[in-house]
Amino acid sequence: MSKHTFYRKRKFWYWFGGILGALILILGIAALILSAKWKPALTTKIKEGVSNASNGLYQINFKDIHLNLLTGTAVLDSISLMPDTNVFNQLKDQKQAPTHLFRIKLAHLKISRVGILKAYFKKKIDLSAIVLDHPSIDMVYHKVPRRTDTVKDERTLYQQISKSLKSIAVGQIKIVDADFDYYNGKRRLNQVKHLSVNVKDVLIDSAAQFDTTRVFHSKNIGFELLGYQSETKDKLYTLKLDTLRGSITGKDLEIRGFKMIPKYPKIEFSRKYDVQKDRYDLDFKKISLSGIDYVGLNNNGELLVKQVNLGPAQVNVFMNRELPPSSLNKSGNFPHMALKRLPIPTIIQQLKIAKVNVAYGEYNPKTKEIGTVKLDGLNGTISNITNDSSRLAKQSHAYADLTTYVMGKAKLNVKIDFNLTSNNGAFNYKGKVNGFDLKALNAISKPLGQIELESGQVTSASFDVSANAAGSKGVVYFYYKDLKIKMLGEDADGKEKKKGLLSFLANTILIKDDNIPGEKGRFANITHERAPQASFFNIMWKSVFKGMREIVGIGIVPMKNGEKPKK
């Protein structure tokens, strides 16, 4: 190549680069000028658009808007979207108000790759992404009246916008690190921080309007919460979870590593109260929900879940009996009575429990020891968990079928029939226990009853009991052999010792050392009056225990009554 030719080509590229640079500079200046001119008009359009689209219910405000026509990017700063309570009340009077209101504040809203020319000439909105940065979102549920005598607008969203737009396409909508609060009226029910939401492939056009694979016009709506931690209102527990993930399109939710951790050891924790109160220590490895009707929850404020899977998990409950009982009537905390108090209609078709270990411990101030009942490997199902009136009209009972190992030794199967419409917490439970060595119960009987089971073999046991808030009535069968006990006390130094005479009298006079199935086999018809402070679990085991006492022969010895509640 000649030197002259080389310089000619180099000169061409200089000219080309210079012209291209000038064009970019001119376009950039033009974009800035257009942006400056469009900003006031665009600001007005956005505010009018939000107001008109919501029939005046919502007003949007923002500090500034940055528009870049070259890159098709728009950024809004310091945004707030607030409902107009006057308009809401008017809609409420007209029976046209929505179930949920939203209050949204965020630092930045970024819209990228806006096809401005396509929007202007072809009436097609095409966006790459919308990003909401660190928003604060309040979702407020209101129970509002509905008008039944008007014709509902059955048009699709596309049909409603088709006169002004041919299509709306958004590749992705991201909500990054949001603080989300859910309210029932003025009462906050849930608070979640650091929530992220990702909505993919939003499309509104003539074809997509009938696409049944889309939810809220998108192919998928997913949400995620990582490393959540908070305190309870009373500052006595720390709540933690490792991950929470769900998909509205997939109708699922999965929670891993949920923990409810007491901040103090058992005895110290209990003394934070003036009365007896349960202390909970919970560790759920996995909780998963499937078949969630998110759309119904949003539109109607009703929760429908097809299945909940719970476990593996560890559940530890502790009670300190040195304190006086509470005056609170715990019948309101029976599972099916508590279900009635849920603020929204709820239907859970089936709850599956797998590999859940439950421990219930009580501190006896007399022995200064803790006796613990353990239910290992709890498995089973509970069906038709609901407080929904229409569902209850068809099926008014929930059914539980559970299997566990008492103290890790005795296999227990229990079936519970909950009357969901009962006003006094009525339920029926029946079950059976396989054979086991009675000495396995010493972990309970020694610290709580000062009785040691020296020998005894259960061959089988069963029960069928009807109960409610007032008490219980039923029949107990308890078959065993070679039963011998040791009555315990304390010496002058507070050390445990055997009460020889009492043990001899109990074994020779009161206790019947066996009960063999057959015509001569004994059973007990029991009637038990429930103390107001007794829990659901308490009435279940105490009713069965009362029948076992009568069969063994110590039914004539009164069961110790608890202390009177503190007023």
Side-chain angles (χ1 to χ4, degrees), residues 67-74 110-130 161 164-173 200-205 214:
L67 181 64
N68 189 321
L69 295 178
L70 289 179
T71 60
T73 301
K110 183 178 180 181
I111 304 172
S112 60
R113 295 185 184 179
V114 184
I116 296 175
L117 295 178
K118 184 185 286 188
Y120 184 80
F121 291 107
K122 296 184 178 181
K123 294 185 178 181
K124 292 182 178 180
I125 296 178
D126 194 356
L127 311 177
S128 174
I130 299 175
I161 68 169
S164 55
L165 289 172
K166 291 183 178 179
S167 69
I168 299 174
V170 184
Q172 185 174 231
I173 302 174
K200 293 184 178 180
D201 188 11
V202 177
L203 181 60
I204 304 170
D205 65 12
R214 293 179 179 272

Side-chain angles (χ1 to χ4, degrees), residues 296-516:
L297 178 62
N298 177 70
N299 293 341
N300 308 314
E302 299 173 351
L303 177 61
L304 170 62
V305 182
K306 287 187 177 180
Q307 186 167 299
V308 177
N309 290 283
L310 184 64
Q314 300 284 338
V315 177
N316 289 280
V317 186
F318 172 76
M319 173 73 76
N320 184 354
R321 291 299 181 190
E322 73 177 354
L323 298 170
S326 168
S327 59
L328 177 70
N329 190 331
K330 288 188 177 180
S331 64
N333 292 332
F334 285 11
H336 49 317
M337 297 297 282
L339 185 62
K340 290 184 176 184
R341 297 201 305 272
L342 291 181
I344 61 175
T346 300
I347 299 172
I348 300 175
Q349 294 181 6
Q350 187 178 68
L351 168 65
K352 281 192 172 184
I353 301 170
K355 298 179 181 178
V356 176
N357 295 327
V358 181
Y360 175 79
E362 287 188 4
Y363 175 75
N364 185 347
K366 186 174 182 180
T367 62
K368 294 181 173 57
E369 291 182 317
I370 297 174
T372 303
V373 180
K374 293 182 179 181
L375 304 177
D376 293 340
L378 178 64
N379 294 276
T381 61
I382 306 175
S383 59
N384 196 46
I385 303 171
T386 184
N387 63 357
D388 180 71
S389 56
S390 59
R391 177 88 173 189
L392 290 171
K394 299 175 183 177
Q395 175 54 275
S396 61
H397 287 245
Y399 300 96
D401 189 346
L402 307 171
T403 300
T404 187
Y405 287 84
V406 181
M407 308 305 290
K409 302 292 184 181
K411 185 178 180 180
L412 165 66
N413 174 254
V414 60
K415 292 178 172 62
I416 310 173
D417 179 349
F418 299 93
N419 186 341
L420 301 178
T421 57
S422 170
N423 292 322
N424 66 348
F427 67 101
N428 174 268
Y429 63 103
K430 59 178 66 176
K432 58 182 179 181
V433 183
N434 292 353
F436 68 99
D437 191 333
L438 272 169
K439 288 188 287 185
L441 301 181
N442 279 327
I444 315 165
S445 63
K446 289 178 68 176
L448 297 184
Q450 290 188 292
I451 296 174
E452 180 179 350
L453 297 161
E454 289 190 304
S455 68
Q457 188 71 33
V458 175
T459 55
S460 67
S462 61
F463 48 87
D464 188 345
V465 182
S466 295
N468 55 39
S472 61
K473 184 181 292 186
V475 59
V476 176
Y477 300 88
F478 181 51
Y479 301 110
Y480 62 93
K481 59 184 179 180
D482 302 325
L483 176 61
K484 287 187 179 180
I485 68 168
K486 182 194 297 183
M487 306 294 290
L488 302 175
E490 297 176 356
D491 59 19
D493 297 325
K495 294 182 179 180
E496 182 182 278
K497 72 171 185 177
K498 177 181 178 179
K499 293 183 177 180
L501 179 59
L502 286 177
S503 298
F504 173 78
L505 292 174
N507 285 314
T508 56
I509 298 175
L510 293 178
I511 290 179
K512 300 169 182 176
D513 60 3
D514 61 29
N515 185 30
I516 308 300

Side-chain angles (χ1 to χ4, degrees), residues 9-27:
K9 288 191 174 183
R10 188 170 69 173
K11 191 174 182 180
F12 167 78
W13 287 112
Y14 283 156
W15 275 102
F16 180 78
I19 294 169
L20 182 62
L23 284 172
I24 293 173
L25 180 61
I26 292 168
L27 287 171

Side-chain angles (χ1 to χ4, degrees), residues 173 175 192 194-200 215-216 218-226 241-256 286-294 297:
I173 302 174
I175 299 175
V192 174
H194 311 302
L195 174 68
S196 295
V197 180
N198 195 357
V199 184
K200 293 184 178 180
V215 176
F216 297 126
S218 72
K219 277 294 185 182
N220 186 44
I221 303 176
F223 50 91
E224 181 179 69
L225 185 65
L226 302 176
L241 64 83
D242 295 335
T243 61
L244 179 150
R245 291 190 180 94
S247 168
I248 293 178
T249 311
K251 299 183 177 181
D252 59 14
L253 174 67
E254 182 178 279
I255 301 169
R256 287 185 178 271
K286 184 178 177 182
I287 305 170
S288 61
L289 294 78
S290 60
I292 307 170
D293 185 1
Y294 287 105
L297 178 62

Side-chain angles (χ1 to χ4, degrees), residues 513-533:
D513 60 3
D514 61 29
N515 185 30
I516 308 300
E519 292 184 4
K520 295 183 179 180
R522 303 183 303 279
F523 63 91
N525 289 305
I526 58 101
T527 300
H528 174 66
E529 184 178 351
R530 173 185 166 271
Q533 65 271 18

Side-chain angles (χ1 to χ4, degrees), residues 98-162:
T99 304
H100 288 96
L101 288 179
F102 291 89
R103 300 188 294 257
I104 302 175
K105 293 181 179 180
L106 65 152
H108 305 288
L109 171 64
K110 183 178 180 181
I111 304 172
S112 60
R113 295 185 184 179
V114 184
I116 296 175
L117 295 178
K118 184 185 286 188
Y120 184 80
F121 291 107
K122 296 184 178 181
K123 294 185 178 181
K124 292 182 178 180
I125 296 178
D126 194 356
L127 311 177
S128 174
I130 299 175
V131 180
L132 287 75
D133 186 23
H134 293 82
S136 171
I137 304 171
D138 293 343
M139 185 176 179
V140 187
Y141 170 76
H142 292 276
K143 190 171 184 179
V144 295
R146 294 292 181 188
R147 180 174 291 181
T148 57
D149 57 350
T150 57
V151 178
K152 185 179 179 181
D153 189 351
E154 298 291 346
R155 293 180 301 165
T156 65
L157 179 57
Y158 169 73
Q159 290 167 344
Q160 295 178 48
I161 68 169
S162 60

